[in-house]
Amino acid sequence: MKLRYMVIFLFIGLALFGMLAVKQKLKQETQRLREENEYQGLSMSGTVLLDVERINLISAKGILSSEITEKDVFNLEAFVEQGGASTISEYLEAYYRVRTALNEQCMFYEIMDVEKTVEEVSGAPGTYVEIIFQNPHTFRFAQQRDWIMEETRHLLFNAEDGTLWYGTDPGSFSYCAIYSNEENSYRKDSDFISLVEGEYSW
């Protein structure tokens, strides 16, 4: 009789232990997914992309400008899933390349407070991608947890040296993120520059 009770208690204990282990595993997975979602850098979620008011490609040749549509977002998702096998607009590819450049090299950026207008920054010779959101968004980077771009509505990325200006006001910038690595210089993407300058071969 005692043996039977001991076996029952053993099974109950094992079941409780198993339930606790599963609960802990689910908690860890939930936390991982939350962090993965929060720390993805410049977001490519459909919600954020559809909130893009305008993307401007700025070079010595002038300014090319476009709004984003649901079809654009769908095409970009297909582009990413297929490893760049599908065709997307140059504006969406510019957004994707800005995100890739920042995510891959974010650990080498230093952030400074600035007060600059769009004209002051983009007036200097260079190749830029400008992204304006209708509403503010917060972006966090997995490889540099201290860098939090809070309530951001406006980005201006220099495709030549990786410098990023950003802020809450579509007409000006409050922060400047500068690539700073003594061992290696910024990895410039010549195809990216050609894309912005309108010379990219598809």
Side-chain angles (χ1 to χ4, degrees), residues 22-37:
V22 169
K23 184 178 179 182
Q24 182 64 24
K25 190 74 175 172
L26 287 172
K27 185 178 178 182
Q28 289 173 349
E29 182 63 12
T30 301
Q31 178 67 19
R32 186 190 70 78
L33 290 172
R34 183 182 295 119
E35 288 187 358
E36 188 178 278
N37 185 56

Side-chain angles (χ1 to χ4, degrees), residues 19-80:
M19 289 170 62
L20 287 171
V22 169
K23 184 178 179 182
Q24 182 64 24
K25 190 74 175 172
L26 287 172
K27 185 178 178 182
Q28 289 173 349
E29 182 63 12
T30 301
Q31 178 67 19
R32 186 190 70 78
L33 290 172
R34 183 182 295 119
E35 288 187 358
E36 188 178 278
N37 185 56
E38 288 182 353
Y39 291 90
Q40 59 177 310
L42 186 60
S43 176
M44 290 209 324
S45 73
T47 305
V48 173
L49 279 172
L50 284 174
D51 196 50
V52 172
E53 186 175 299
R54 187 165 295 281
I55 293 179
N56 298 322
L57 308 181
I58 305 168
S59 71
K61 296 185 176 182
I63 300 175
L64 300 173
S65 183
S66 177
E67 297 176 354
I68 301 303
T69 67
E70 288 188 28
K71 183 179 178 183
D72 291 325
V73 175
F74 175 79
N75 288 345
L76 181 57
E77 288 172 354
F79 175 84
V80 174

